[in-house]
Amino acid sequence: GRRGEGRGALALDLLSLGDCLRLVLVCATPLGCYEALGLVHQRWRSLGGFKDYISTPKPNHYQSLHTTVLGPGGVLLHLLFRTPEMHQVAEQGIVAHWRQQARGP
């Protein structure tokens, strides 16, 4: 899909963790996060299911879906799915997110 649609995802962060790559995918909506997770699990083998911090946020308001898959060429991929708001909270904290919301666009 096109960027901004529920199914569109934009890779924001790629970090090599030894033999595992960490990739953050930012989706327009929470539903888009679940849809993207489903597509990833259809394409690559999941190693241990997934963690759902969207439906059950952490006490510090962190929200994200986490999964690890055996990706192309046998590369381990640790994938995180978030909305832009979830990404801001994860990277800068809930207080920074509230300040941004108070300032407006």
Side-chain angles (χ1 to χ4, degrees):
R2 287 174 287 159
R3 187 174 171 200
E5 293 179 343
R7 294 184 181 154
L10 173 65
L12 279 188
D13 184 21
L14 182 62
L15 174 66
S16 178
L17 301 171
D19 292 335
C20 185
L21 293 175
R22 176 184 178 262
L23 183 63
V24 178
L25 300 162
V26 176
C27 304
T29 64
L31 177 59
C33 293
Y34 289 102
E35 289 175 338
L37 174 71
L39 291 171
V40 165
H41 282 176
Q42 286 177 12
R43 172 91 185 192
W44 296 300
R45 193 175 110 207
S46 172
L47 303 176
F50 69 99
K51 293 183 182 172
D52 186 346
Y53 298 114
I54 292 177
S55 68
T56 309
K58 291 187 175 187
N60 64 357
H61 299 275
Y62 175 85
Q63 290 183 288
S64 188
L65 297 175
H66 292 220
T67 191
T68 302
V69 297
L70 193 59
V75 174
L76 286 177
L77 297 173
H78 183 69
L79 304 172
L80 292 82
F81 302 85
R82 304 173 178 158
T83 65
E85 296 80 14
M86 292 174 198
H87 187 65
Q88 183 182 26
V89 169
E91 296 297 312
Q92 301 171 2
I94 190 65
V95 173
H97 176 69
W98 286 338
R99 283 189 194 132
Q100 178 68 28
Q101 294 300 319
R103 280 196 291 261

